[in-house]
Amino acid sequence: MKPVRVALLGCGVVGTEIVRLLREQSDDLAARVGAPVELAGIAVRRPDRVRPGVPEELLTTDAMGLATREDVDLVVEVIGGIEPARSLILGALKTGKSVVSANKALLAEDGETLFAAAREFGADLYYEASVAGAIPLLRPLRESLVGDRIHRVLGIVNGTTNYILDQMDTHGAGFAEALEEAQALGYAEADPTADVEAFDAAAKAAILARLAFHTPVTAADVYREGITEVTAQDVAGAKSMDCVVKLLAICERAGDRGVSVRVYPAMIPRSHPLGSVHGAFNAVFVEAESAGSLMFYGAGAGGAPTASAVLGDIVAVSRNLVSGASGPAETSYAALPVLPMGETVTRYYVQLDVADQAGVLAQVAEEFAKHEVSIQAVRQEGHGEDAQLVIVTHTAPDRALAATVESLRTHSSVREVASVMRVEGDF
């Protein structure tokens, strides 16, 4: 059989692993695909850099030339970022070449343009590695569950933040200390902004929401809060509720009103499957109408895990090329509106330092009632200067909950709003 010729754009940590796997598993891949899978070239910025195991004769600095070369069948993009990745992928698609990408930022920002080009020019665009590393998640959403109605996707999709929050929970570390340890172990970059401010997780949430709800969603549509403001007091408050703090990506269908897509740190019961996800691992919980609850768990980042997901896409696309078929096209036919955070229904945990005097609880409860927020549970702790109220609300529009907290900050009986955090899951 005529070999499938692969152009690799980028040869960093992930790209180097892809080269290794393609070479080491060439016989197995050929048997699985039905034809040999060969590297046609590797585009890099610095060809003089030492890359063990990477054939120097395949290196080129002409990425566009390689991506559009006539003898190339499949282009694999692991450069990352928006440009030049977008131009390179569009260039490949417009010449009828299928593309495999791990580029979450680009897919979340301008996926519609790429999907439209793939449809127009009859090419495949696969991107399993863009969310949750080695975990097979996107293909089940796109194919296995395509006949079902998905109500909710709830997940931990950033290993760096999960490691930091896990250290704060299990070892009592502060945020700065846990971040420093994550950087020392290679889980966090020297500039961790994309992770700790949740830009990475927001991009992944946009991709998940698009697949789950057949609706165009971009990273700009995702409500985002990072973990830099999570304190030891927040973590301790979660423990007192038998909960743990996680950075959660939540994609939820709100009936016929639209979809809610958000990323923020939240308390979740330890009894929930996501509550026991430790270290730098990822896990995603999917709730579907017929299939019920499904959980996907595994390594969410790293060279080898990400390369594994890329190789899976390479095999799938190569099989399509050999058989003359194509994969399922992306659909956004539902075109549901993305709800603003203020209209999203959620719950709050609120910890208040209050004056130790009669009637304080009634006064605080009155503030909640003014904003039509009902209280699910309340606990009064301490006396004198240590007097506290711990309140968990029933679900309500986030706008009403936030307004209640703001009014409590200036209430005469409240010395300080010590902790505020959203709550997910059932108690």
Side-chain angles (χ1 to χ4, degrees):
M1 293 290 294
K2 177 186 174 184
V4 176
R5 302 268 291 166
V6 176
L8 178 62
L9 309 182
C11 198
V13 174
V14 175
T16 301
E17 282 295 316
I18 293 170
V19 173
R20 180 182 67 81
L21 291 172
L22 283 173
R23 299 183 75 193
E24 289 182 0
Q25 300 182 18
S26 59
D27 291 343
D28 286 339
L29 293 174
R32 296 167 190 169
V33 168
V37 180
E38 298 179 353
L39 271 171
I42 305 168
V44 296
R45 283 188 301 172
R46 298 187 295 274
D48 55 343
R49 178 181 170 186
V50 177
R51 297 177 175 86
V54 177
E56 292 184 13
E57 66 274 13
L58 293 181
L59 300 180
T60 178
T61 56
D62 184 5
M64 185 60 79
L66 176 61
T68 57
R69 215 167 75 190
E70 189 174 339
D71 67 327
V72 167
D73 304 299
L74 168 60
V75 174
V76 177
E77 182 271 316
V78 288
I79 298 171
I82 307 302
E83 287 293 353
R86 172 167 43 199
S87 297
L88 293 170
I89 291 175
L90 287 173
L93 292 171
K94 288 176 181 179
T95 57
K97 304 183 194 311
S98 293
V99 172
V100 170
S101 175
N103 196 329
K104 56 185 173 287
L106 176 56
L107 288 161
E109 178 173 305
D110 200 19
E112 288 301 310
T113 299
L114 304 183
F115 299 133
R119 286 193 298 270
E120 181 180 355
F121 296 98
D124 283 338
L125 175 57
Y126 278 48
Y127 49 98
E128 183 66 57
S130 65
V131 179
I135 304 172
L137 173 62
L138 302 189
R139 194 170 293 124
L141 287 175
R142 187 176 59 210
E143 299 177 21
S144 305
L145 295 171
V146 72
D148 210 336
R149 184 183 179 94
I150 295 174
H151 295 295
R152 198 169 193 239
V153 180
L154 171 74
I156 297 165
V157 295
N158 183 275
T160 300
T161 51
N162 198 60
Y163 178 85
I164 291 170
L165 293 172
D166 189 42
Q167 290 296 106
M168 293 176 71
D169 176 66
T170 58
H171 299 292
F175 171 79
E177 179 187 352
L179 171 60
E180 186 177 340
E181 186 171 346
Q183 290 172 321
L185 293 171
Y187 295 145
E189 301 288 344
D191 179 1
T193 303
D195 293 321
V196 299
E197 294 293 354
F199 290 102
D200 175 86
K204 294 170 180 176
I207 294 170
L208 289 170
R210 187 185 191 284
L211 278 175
F213 307 123
H214 307 283
T215 288
V217 179
T218 69
D221 297 320
V222 180
Y223 177 83
R224 174 189 56 81
E225 289 181 19
I227 66 167
T228 54
E229 301 300 319
V230 176
T231 66
Q233 190 166 15
D234 295 329
V235 174
K239 282 187 174 182
S240 71
M241 304 283 294
D242 200 25
C243 289
V244 61
V245 179
K246 298 289 185 184
L247 181 70
L248 298 178
I250 306 167
C251 313
E252 192 169 37
R253 184 162 185 149
D256 296 328
R257 295 190 303 125
V259 297
S260 170
V261 190
R262 67 248 195 209
V263 174
Y264 47 59
M267 293 182 181
I268 192 165
R270 291 182 188 273
S271 58
H272 191 282
L274 295 179
S276 59
V277 178
H278 297 290
F281 282 86
N282 284 192
V284 178
F285 203 72
V286 178
E287 299 172 12
E289 189 165 307
S290 299
S293 298
L294 308 168
M295 182 168 168
F296 301 82
Y297 170 86
T306 304
S308 171
V310 171
L311 259 289
D313 280 351
I314 290 174
V315 169
V317 174
S318 296
R319 284 173 171 169
N320 291 341
L321 292 170
V322 169
S323 65
S326 59
E330 299 300 325
T331 61
S332 55
Y333 70 90
L336 297 167
V338 180
L339 300 177
M341 188 62 204
E343 294 181 23
T344 298
V345 174
T346 184
R347 282 192 296 169
Y348 274 26
Y349 164 95
V350 184
Q351 183 176 323
L352 306 171
D353 293 343
V354 295
D356 187 12
Q357 60 189 34
V360 169
L361 178 57
Q363 295 171 34
V364 169
E366 184 179 355
E367 288 300 315
F368 280 87
K370 283 180 184 177
H371 297 278
E372 299 183 344
V373 175
S374 61
I375 295 173
Q376 177 181 346
V378 61
R379 185 172 72 242
Q380 189 163 357
E381 300 176 345
H383 298 283
E385 293 297 317
D386 297 324
Q388 287 188 336
L389 286 177
V390 175
I391 296 169
V392 178
T393 73
H394 282 292
T395 56
D398 196 82
R399 182 185 295 109
L401 291 162
T404 304
V405 170
E406 285 306 306
S407 67
L408 289 170
R409 293 188 192 281
T410 57
H411 195 281
S412 59
S413 297
V414 177
R415 293 195 299 264
E416 181 184 9
V417 178
S419 180
V420 178
M421 187 159 289
R422 294 181 180 89
V423 179
E424 298 293 333
D426 296 326
F427 290 92

